[in-house]
């Protein structure tokens, strides 16, 4: 037994070591790795619902390219890791346009920040207006998905349950809707 195989076995769980080497089916991988991947994704992403979406997306991607993946266990962990980090990065960029009031309620009117300078406030209002105009260029379904995701803070699975779409399809549609908004904002010089 080579040094590399000994090192691999050292980091494996007893269950993994006892399994004979050879190809596993996607079902076997799901049964063996769903729970550990959920824990792993939850530690990185910080929310269980998001971890569920990430793991589901990773298994769907693996299913689509299962024949080409040589080491599916490593591939799954790497994919979940990358998706979780991408989610953390993106979630840090999302800023609510409605600020909570001192009573904890989200106001329906857009009141200015008393600490903002006038030119900053004008730029903020222009940006909000351009985002709203960009939203109007989207089809009704895309606008509804964006409202459910960002106004009601629903997960892909919850949105899928309300709309009858699969969670992965919700993610796909949201990605392209946000890409469309970014394109419109870039045309107007709001984002580079």
């Amino acid at each position: 037994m080579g040094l590399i195989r000994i090192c691999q076995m050292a980091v494996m769980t007893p269950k993994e070591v006892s399994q004979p080497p050879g190809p596993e089916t996607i079902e076997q991988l799901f049964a063996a790795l769903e729970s550990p991947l959920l824990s792993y994704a939850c530690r990185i992403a910080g929310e269980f619902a998001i971890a569920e979406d990430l793991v589901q997306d990773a298994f769907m991607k693996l299913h689509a390219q299962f024949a080409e993946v040589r080491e599916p266990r490593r591939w799954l962990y790497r994919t979940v890791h990358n998706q979780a980090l991408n989610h953390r990065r993106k979630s840090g960029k999302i800023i609510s346009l409605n600020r909570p009031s001192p009573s904890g309620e989200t106001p329906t009117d857009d009141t200015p920040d008393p600490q903002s300078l006038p030119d900053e406030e004008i730029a903020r209002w222009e940006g909000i207006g351009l985002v709203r105009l960009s939203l109007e260029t989207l089809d009704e379904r895309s606008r509804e998905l964006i409202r459910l995701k960002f106004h009601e803070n629903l997960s892909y699975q919850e949105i899928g349950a309300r709309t009858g779409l699969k969670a992965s399809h919700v993610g796909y549609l949201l990605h392209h809707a946000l890409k469309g908004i970014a394109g419109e904002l870039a045309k107007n010089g709001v984002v580079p």
Side-chain angles (χ1 to χ4, degrees):
M1 188 178 301
L3 181 60
I4 293 174
R5 181 69 182 146
I6 292 170
C7 291
Q8 288 172 338
M9 289 176 62
V11 296
M12 294 176 147
T13 65
K15 183 179 177 183
E16 292 174 317
V17 173
S18 65
Q19 289 178 347
E24 292 178 283
T25 65
I26 192 96
E27 292 83 10
Q28 290 170 326
L29 286 166
F30 186 79
L33 296 178
E34 179 194 24
S35 200
L37 282 170
L38 281 171
S39 296
Y40 184 65
C42 194
R43 281 193 307 257
I44 299 171
E47 291 182 42
F48 187 75
I50 292 168
E52 286 178 320
D53 288 345
L54 296 173
V55 170
Q56 180 184 8
D57 287 346
F59 273 105
M60 291 178 69
K61 287 179 182 180
L62 177 64
H63 188 295
Q65 54 189 353
F66 192 66
E68 293 87 38
V69 176
R70 291 187 332 171
E71 296 182 41
R73 287 175 176 255
R74 288 186 179 166
W75 187 94
L76 281 166
Y77 271 97
R78 177 54 53 196
T79 301
V80 167
H81 178 83
N82 290 342
Q83 288 178 325
L85 290 180
N86 286 342
H87 172 76
R88 274 189 21 195
R89 256 187 247 111
K90 288 177 187 173
S91 66
K93 293 180 183 177
I94 298 173
I95 299 169
S96 174
L97 295 179
N98 292 328
R99 293 188 195 98
S101 67
S103 64
E105 297 177 12
T106 303
T108 55
D109 63 333
D110 292 321
T111 56
D113 181 4
Q115 298 173 355
S116 297
L117 297 173
D119 58 335
E120 291 173 339
E121 198 58 36
I122 290 170
R124 179 178 171 273
W125 283 105
E126 285 176 352
I128 290 171
L130 289 171
V131 168
R132 288 182 177 157
L133 287 173
S134 299
L135 279 170
E136 293 302 317
T137 65
L138 299 175
D139 60 285
E140 181 62 35
R141 179 173 66 172
S142 296
R143 286 194 304 267
E144 176 65 9
L145 293 175
I146 287 175
R147 186 187 67 74
L148 292 172
K149 179 65 180 165
F150 298 103
H151 185 69
E152 296 188 26
N153 295 321
L154 299 179
S155 71
Y156 289 179
Q157 287 180 331
E158 292 168 328
I159 294 171
R162 281 207 190 168
T163 60
L165 299 170
K166 292 183 178 181
S168 60
H169 193 62
V170 169
Y172 175 82
L173 292 172
L174 277 171
H175 169 77
H176 285 284
L178 293 174
K179 216 171 157 182
I181 290 172
E184 288 294 317
L185 293 175
K187 284 182 195 176
N188 292 315
V190 176
V191 293

